[in-house]
Amino acid sequence: AGYKGRFNTHDKNYDANNAAHIFQYNENINALYGAVTFALTEKLRTKVGLRYEQVLAKILSTTEIQTEKDNNYNTPYPSAHLAYVFSPYSNLKLAYSTRVNRPELKMLDPSPQNQFSSLVDTVGNPDLKPEFIDVFEVTYALTQDKYKTDLSLYHHNIKDVIQWDVIDVDMITYNNLGE
């Protein structure tokens, strides 16, 4: 069990195309988490966990006009693992967990940037949401004299996928485009 806090502040002021641009991003993440591991039987073990996050994020940007955006959200991230131990050297594990992938700063900054070439501008999207990921996994592990072999199958289901979105031939942005 525990608490983790992450507090980020980014302040960027620059001139582009004879105009001043300001991009300020403040993100405060407060997380409470806990996990419990126990044996159901001699061969069957489990671990369950929960992380709960409160995210308070604010973007202030000035390009041609000043905009202020809040992106606050509270999200639980459960996890569950089940392991069957065939022997001290062999086991089968089933797992489910949830994760988050937050957008990078350049993805949020609405000021035009020449990332790829001088012919194409990339414009960030201050309305961009994080990706939320459900992960399902099955793993078989075998330990031998000098080697350990893991064979895994997994499936990721991503909600609010962040992808490039073409505005026109010389401008690209980022958007949440489904699953």
Side-chain angles (χ1 to χ4, degrees):
Y3 166 83
K4 181 178 181 181
R6 192 169 90 187
F7 310 99
N8 297 315
T9 300
H10 300 277
D11 194 357
K12 187 165 95 173
N13 299 315
Y14 53 96
D15 290 323
N17 301 328
N18 297 322
H21 294 281
I22 297 171
F23 177 71
Q24 296 174 343
Y25 182 69
N26 295 307
E27 180 183 64
N28 298 326
I29 303 172
N30 296 289
L32 295 172
Y33 60 90
V36 177
T37 303
F38 53 93
L40 297 171
T41 67
E42 188 175 308
K43 298 228 177 234
L44 195 60
R45 299 180 184 143
T46 188
K47 177 180 178 181
V48 292
L50 180 66
R51 185 176 86 244
Y52 183 80
E53 284 187 353
Q54 175 197 48
V55 178
L56 304 173
K58 178 176 252 175
I59 295 173
L60 174 69
S61 65
T62 303
T63 49
E64 292 156 10
I65 58 169
Q66 181 169 325
T67 58
E68 194 169 321
K69 299 270 183 185
D70 289 331
N71 188 9
N72 304 327
Y73 54 95
N74 301 314
T75 309
Y77 300 95
S79 63
H81 305 266
L82 187 65
Y84 185 81
V85 180
F86 296 106
S87 74
Y89 308 105
S90 170
N91 64 59
L92 179 68
K93 295 179 185 174
L94 303 172
Y96 167 78
S97 62
T98 55
R99 301 175 186 164
V100 63
N101 182 27
R102 294 181 179 85
E104 299 172 25
L105 287 175
K106 69 180 180 184
M107 296 175 172
L108 298 169
D109 187 350
S111 302
Q113 304 162 39
N114 299 105
Q115 282 183 219
F116 305 110
S117 77
S118 61
L119 301 175
V120 178
D121 285 334
T122 302
V123 179
N125 178 357
D127 293 321
L128 202 57
K129 305 285 186 234
E131 296 175 329
F132 294 100
I133 306 161
D134 292 310
V135 181
F136 303 91
E137 188 171 358
V138 177
T139 303
Y140 176 73
L142 177 63
T143 304
Q144 296 172 329
D145 293 334
K146 294 182 182 179
Y147 303 100
K148 180 176 181 189
T149 304
D150 287 334
L151 180 62
S152 295
L153 296 172
Y154 64 90
H155 172 74
H156 291 184
N157 183 42
I158 305 172
K159 297 175 191 107
D160 294 326
V161 174
I162 297 171
Q163 292 183 340
W164 288 339
D165 195 6
V166 178
I167 297 172
D168 57 39
V169 293
D170 60 351
M171 191 165 293
I172 296 171
T173 191
Y174 301 92
N175 271 314
N176 296 104
L177 297 173
E179 279 190 38

